[in-house]
Amino acid sequence: RAVLMATSPLFFRWFMTGHVPALRAAGWDVRLVSGPGPELAPFAAQVGAPAHPVALEREIRPLADLRALLELLALLKRLRPELVHASTPKAGLFGMLAAWLLRVPVRVYHCHGLRYETARGPLRLVLAAAERVACGLATQVLAVSGSLAEALVARGLAPAAKVTVLHLGSVSGVEAAHRFVPAPPAARRAARARLGIPPEARVLGFVGRVVRDKGIPELWRAWLGLRQALPDLHWVLVGPVEDGDPVPPEVLAGLRADPRVHLTGQDEDTPPLFAAMDVVALPSFREGFGLVTAEAGAMGLPVVASRVTGIVDAVVDGETGTLVPAGDEAALAAALRRYLTDPALAARHGAAARARVLRDYPPAALEAALVERYRAWSAASATAATASSSPTR
């Protein structure tokens, strides 16, 4: 039996839709544990795995967190899993702690990025300590990219022997064969019409949370110069405006007031929105992998992104996109302008990006890799248990 844990049930819907059926087909009795939410029961029914809500919350709340840990301990004691696989920081910490206390043989912490990198003050120390504890209590650590694995080892969070990257990285790959596909001209026109953008305009895109960590203030300042130089340029931002790590009020006010800026809010059906774009920007200060860059690449779009952990795996500089130093708004604007004024370059890098995503990140390869890891970890655990129970001579 395996217990998959995440702080929010949205994580399962976004990343585990293929993994859970693959594990069940391989013989695993999979159970889902997450914080409560309307997405949990429908997802559990979709993949055929029982769900168990636990009162996990993303933010730090000591009393509520203690209750959640006690609730989790009781649940795992009842379920008696052989393997606990926990993703996201809060679920990772609590999942590894509870599984360690109950002596679960295989404890997998799935690291999707280092949130503490851009935190400030006491929160940074708390988040760094949480990562260190989660990695320390885990028997295995999964990293979503090679550069993230290197960072975990280099910063002393986990020994190299404990860290694994599935296939070539990412969580579940990109469905580039049927979902994220280049948009034909009619779909491109329809996407722009839906947003109120002229069909022949140039369009900059951003997909992600509208927060400071994603480089929105730097992208806003780059935009101010670009919109003046390119009067037909529009900017589409897809994602929620969040209160945690908020962008400066004047930046948010400017985004909302600009008639050539299109804030769509949260929208999980991103391919029709990618269809409206000519180039995608991700000037983030931290990522685990930078999935948006791979999704944009699958759509045949070039990407301009920060040269940071995770993104350096997802974007090949000068081939599938352009990498710029994090926080360098001048370099960001210059790289975006090159693609916006050179359609041939944009098409060439977009085609190379799609070819790479199809080759390196097919979902089936990630699913098969996870099943193989579970098999190997289970076999190693059984061998160790047999050895420890054998009488000494």
Side-chain angles (χ1 to χ4, degrees), residues 287-308:
E287 293 290 334
F289 174 73
L291 181 62
V292 164
T293 65
E295 291 174 344
M299 297 286 299
L301 298 172
V303 173
V304 176
S306 301
R307 189 179 287 106
V308 297

Side-chain angles (χ1 to χ4, degrees), residues 308-360:
V308 297
T309 300
I311 294 180
V312 296
D313 301 75
V315 177
V316 180
D317 189 25
E319 182 180 325
T320 69
T322 300
L323 297 177
V324 299
D328 190 336
E329 62 204 55
L332 175 64
L336 289 169
R337 184 167 181 170
R338 277 196 298 274
Y339 286 122
L340 291 165
T341 58
D342 190 344
L345 176 66
R348 188 162 64 250
H349 284 188
R354 176 164 174 78
R356 182 170 186 253
V357 171
L358 284 166
R359 182 186 70 237
D360 291 350

Side-chain angles (χ1 to χ4, degrees), residues 117-194:
E117 286 183 314
T118 52
R120 301 168 182 84
L123 178 61
R124 179 182 176 88
L125 298 176
V126 171
L127 293 173
E131 290 290 343
R132 193 174 302 277
V133 171
C135 289
L137 296 178
T139 58
Q140 305 292 334
V141 176
L142 283 178
V144 296
S145 67
S147 59
L148 178 59
E150 292 171 2
L152 287 167
V153 174
R155 296 172 192 181
L157 298 174
K162 190 185 281 192
V163 183
T164 304
V165 178
L166 289 181
H167 190 53
L168 298 177
S170 83
V171 185
S172 53
V174 177
E175 179 42 76
H178 304 290
R179 185 176 180 219
F180 290 94
V181 297
R188 177 183 171 89
R189 289 193 297 270
R192 292 183 169 200
R194 168 186 166 191

Side-chain angles (χ1 to χ4, degrees), residues 213-355:
D213 273 2
K214 295 291 185 180
I216 293 298
E218 290 74 19
L219 189 51
W220 165 252
R221 290 190 287 271
W223 161 256
L224 293 176
L226 289 168
R227 80 181 303 282
Q228 184 173 357
L230 305 172
D232 65 334
L233 181 61
H234 287 247
W235 181 10
V236 176
L237 290 93
V238 183
V241 177
E242 295 190 353
D243 294 331
D245 188 35
V247 299
E250 64 274 13
V251 172
L252 186 58
L255 291 170
R256 287 173 168 162
D258 193 325
R260 286 158 57 189
V261 172
H262 309 267
L263 287 160
T264 73
Q266 180 72 39
D267 192 329
E268 294 182 22
D269 188 19
T270 54
L273 294 163
F274 277 123
M277 303 171 190
D278 292 307
V279 60
V280 173
L282 185 63
S284 183
F285 285 85
R286 65 171 182 90
E287 293 290 334
F289 174 73
L291 181 62
V292 164
T293 65
E295 291 174 344
M299 297 286 299
L301 298 172
V303 173
V304 176
S306 301
R307 189 179 287 106
V308 297
T309 300
I311 294 180
V312 296
D313 301 75
V315 177
V316 180
D317 189 25
E319 182 180 325
T320 69
T322 300
L323 297 177
V324 299
D328 190 336
E329 62 204 55
L332 175 64
L336 289 169
R337 184 167 181 170
R338 277 196 298 274
Y339 286 122
L340 291 165
T341 58
D342 190 344
L345 176 66
R348 188 162 64 250
H349 284 188
R354 176 164 174 78

